[in-house]
């Protein structure tokens, strides 16, 4: 078994729900179909051979992509070794159904059989190499995100606010400390774990409650428009660093009250998140605490989205004279709970 695992570590099953994976598969398959006739000893013309390859390769590829898209969420639950073996067996079964059963190929069946094996194993080897190449960047991104999550001034000011409230308003002090403890407990989790949108909203509301106690509810206002499924899978601690940026740069830098808007929605299996906060230019007379533009949270966010979703996720910023806005688009994936796995649902 260790030898098998060592061999299988060179292969990985790609996520067929990912748009980047689908594009790579199609491009490589086209190149493969155009290259094969060049090394063939057939007497037929080049384009005739390309057509023959496409006649069985295209329907096989389409069926493989559709099957992979439907069953990709189940493949991720398998052990890596069994996942690769299962994927290869499924590919071969689909190939036989198309080439032997549907098209009735008899003469060149074994030639096509070895060609589809070479293509599938080559693609899984490329996916394994791509994942291994991303591992150092992923570890660095997790460490960077972990060290940049909480600003020290926020922690100290929150604790000072709690101390000042203990005698006058003990209930508010207790609530502040509970929210602060929950927030730190969430942030000490492994950054590689995914979360749900509902959990992210809850953590974000606890964070904003702390800021409203610390700075006053009239100065820090927030509007929530949550119209997306709570079970949508999201990166761990997606919203809190962005809201901390919004408070730090949009409200704390001035003496004026400000309103932060958080909107979530879903459309056509895409999850949309928008965070909007007031914006005061650093050189403005109203900016009494000019803070340098801190793009670390946004840069970390974009890097995490690229590592987790490839090209499927998008994070954009918009800036006007009075508003700074962050827009995020994620593919909707339902996050399965531990109870679902426990009872096999």
């Amino acid at each position: 078994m260790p030898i098998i695992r060592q061999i299988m570590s060179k292969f990985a099953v790609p996520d067929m729900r990912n748009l980047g994976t689908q594009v790579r598969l199609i491009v490589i398959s086209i190149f493969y179909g155009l290259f094969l006739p060049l090394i063939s000893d057939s007497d037929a013309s080049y384009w005739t051979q390309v057509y023959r390859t496409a006649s069985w390769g295209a329907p096989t590829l389409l069926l493989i992509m559709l099957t992979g898209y439907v069953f990709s969420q189940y493949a991720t639950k398998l052990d890596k070794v069994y996942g690769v073996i299962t994927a290869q067996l499924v590919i071969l079964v689909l190939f036989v159904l198309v080439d032997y059963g549907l098209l009735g190929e008899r003469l060149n069946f074994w030639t096509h059989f070895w060609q589809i094996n070479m293509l599938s194993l080559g693609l899984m080897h490329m996916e394994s190499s791509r994942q291994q190449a991303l591992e150092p960047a992923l570890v660095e991104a997790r460490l960077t995100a972990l060290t940049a999550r909480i600003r020290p001034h926020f922690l100290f000011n929150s604790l000072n606010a709690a101390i000042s409230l203990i005698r006058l308003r003990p209930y508010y002090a207790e609530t502040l400390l509970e929210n602060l403890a929950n927030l730190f407990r969430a942030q000490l989790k492994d950054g590689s774990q995914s979360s749900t949108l509902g959990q992210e909203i809850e953590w974000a509301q606890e964070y904003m409650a702390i800021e409203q106690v610390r700075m006053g509810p009239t100065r820090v206002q927030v509007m929530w428009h949550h119209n997306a499924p709570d079970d949508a899978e999201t990166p761990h601690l997606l919203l809190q660093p962005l809201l901390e940026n919004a408070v730090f740069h949009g409200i704390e830098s001035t003496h004026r009250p400000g309103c932060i808007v958080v909107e979530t929605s879903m459309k056509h299996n895409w999850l949309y998140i928008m965070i909007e906060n007031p914006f005061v230019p650093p050189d403005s007379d109203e900016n009494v605490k000019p803070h340098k533009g801190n793009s670390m949270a946004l840069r970390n966010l974009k890097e995490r989205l690229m590592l987790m979703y490839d090209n499927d996720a998008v994070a954009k910023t918009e800036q006007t004279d009075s508003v700074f806005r962050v827009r995020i688009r994620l593919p909707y994936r339902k996050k399965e709970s531990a109870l679902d796995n426990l009872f096999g649902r």
Side-chain angles (χ1 to χ4, degrees):
M1 191 64 180
I3 298 178
I4 295 178
R5 287 191 173 275
Q6 185 176 1
I7 296 174
M8 288 301 171
S9 64
K10 303 296 182 181
F11 303 93
V13 180
D15 182 6
M16 294 306 300
R17 295 176 298 175
N18 187 277
L19 180 60
T21 300
Q22 296 171 4
V23 172
R24 284 192 294 270
L25 178 58
I26 293 173
V27 171
I28 293 174
S29 298
I30 293 175
F31 175 81
Y32 190 73
L34 295 175
F35 174 76
L36 281 178
L38 296 177
I39 60 176
S40 174
D41 57 355
S42 175
D43 295 333
S45 66
Y46 173 79
W47 291 111
T48 299
Q49 295 183 65
V50 170
Y51 173 77
R52 290 175 179 173
T53 303
S55 64
W56 69 268
T60 303
L61 177 64
L62 179 61
L63 190 58
I64 290 173
M65 292 180 65
L66 290 174
T67 305
Y69 184 89
V70 173
F71 294 101
S72 182
Q73 57 180 332
Y74 303 105
T76 56
K77 300 178 182 178
L78 296 175
D79 179 82
K80 186 174 182 180
V81 173
Y82 296 115
V84 171
I85 295 175
T86 302
Q88 185 65 12
L89 290 176
V90 170
I91 290 173
L92 294 180
V93 169
L94 296 176
F95 160 74
V96 172
L97 288 176
V98 173
D99 198 60
Y100 193 88
L102 183 63
L103 302 179
E105 180 63 60
R106 300 295 186 271
L107 183 61
N108 298 311
F109 173 79
W110 289 109
T111 300
H112 297 168
F113 178 84
W114 293 114
Q115 289 175 354
I116 195 69
N117 271 281
M118 292 171 57
L119 177 61
S120 61
L121 292 176
L123 288 169
M124 285 193 283
H125 177 68
M126 290 180 58
E127 179 65 18
S128 176
S129 301
R130 190 182 74 87
Q131 292 179 6
Q132 292 177 9
L134 289 175
E135 282 181 0
L138 184 59
V139 172
E140 183 178 354
R142 290 174 189 163
L143 293 175
T144 304
L146 184 61
T147 56
R149 279 173 189 163
I150 287 290
R151 293 186 176 93
H153 89 286
F154 163 70
L155 173 60
F156 298 143
N157 291 341
S158 298
L159 293 176
N160 288 332
I163 293 172
S164 64
L165 290 171
I166 287 177
R167 291 186 178 180
L168 300 177
R169 292 185 291 174
Y171 173 77
Y172 288 98
E174 181 182 356
T175 302
L176 187 151
L177 292 175
E178 286 180 352
N179 290 337
L180 191 62
N182 290 336
L183 194 60
F184 269 86
R185 188 180 300 111
Q187 294 179 344
L188 290 175
K189 285 186 177 180
D190 182 7
S192 65
Q193 295 178 356
S194 60
S195 181
T196 62
L197 183 59
Q199 181 66 77
E200 292 297 313
I201 292 291
E202 181 180 341
W203 285 332
Q205 290 175 340
E206 290 178 344
Y207 168 75
M208 293 306 301
I210 293 173
E211 293 289 23
Q212 287 179 324
V213 172
R214 186 172 70 88
M215 301 175 63
T218 57
R219 185 178 178 190
V220 181
Q221 304 167 22
V222 58
M223 296 178 61
W224 303 92
H225 303 285
H226 181 36
N227 301 305
D230 285 337
D231 61 1
E233 184 181 49
T234 66
H236 182 63
L237 280 179
L238 172 68
L239 299 180
Q240 186 273 329
L242 296 178
L243 288 174
E244 190 175 354
N245 250 19
V247 173
F248 188 66
H249 295 284
I251 297 177
E252 197 171 3
S253 61
T254 69
H255 287 313
R256 295 187 307 170
C259 181
I260 297 174
V261 180
V262 181
E263 293 183 358
T264 65
S265 61
M266 193 181 80
K267 185 177 181 181
H268 303 309
N269 287 326
W270 292 100
L271 189 67
Y272 294 92
I273 301 172
M274 189 274 291
I275 298 178
E276 180 181 287
N277 61 269
F279 173 74
V280 179
D283 56 352
S284 173
D285 295 336
E286 299 181 15
N287 199 329
V288 296
K289 291 183 181 179
H291 295 146
K292 294 182 179 180
N294 184 3
S295 59
M296 181 179 294
L298 295 174
R299 188 166 58 250
N300 289 346
L301 171 64
K302 292 180 180 180
E303 186 173 5
R304 291 175 65 198
L305 293 179
M306 174 62 69
L307 292 169
M308 294 182 66
Y309 298 99
D310 202 353
N311 295 323
D312 280 357
V314 177
K316 296 181 179 180
T317 59
E318 303 172 4
Q319 181 176 308
T320 65
D321 293 337
S322 60
V323 173
F324 185 84
R325 189 178 294 113
V326 179
R327 295 186 183 274
I328 302 171
R329 188 197 72 181
L330 302 173
Y332 170 68
R333 299 175 183 173
K334 182 178 179 180
K335 174 76 171 178
E336 295 188 1
S337 66
L339 290 177
D340 291 338
N341 295 329
L342 180 62
F343 294 105
R345 292 185 294 178

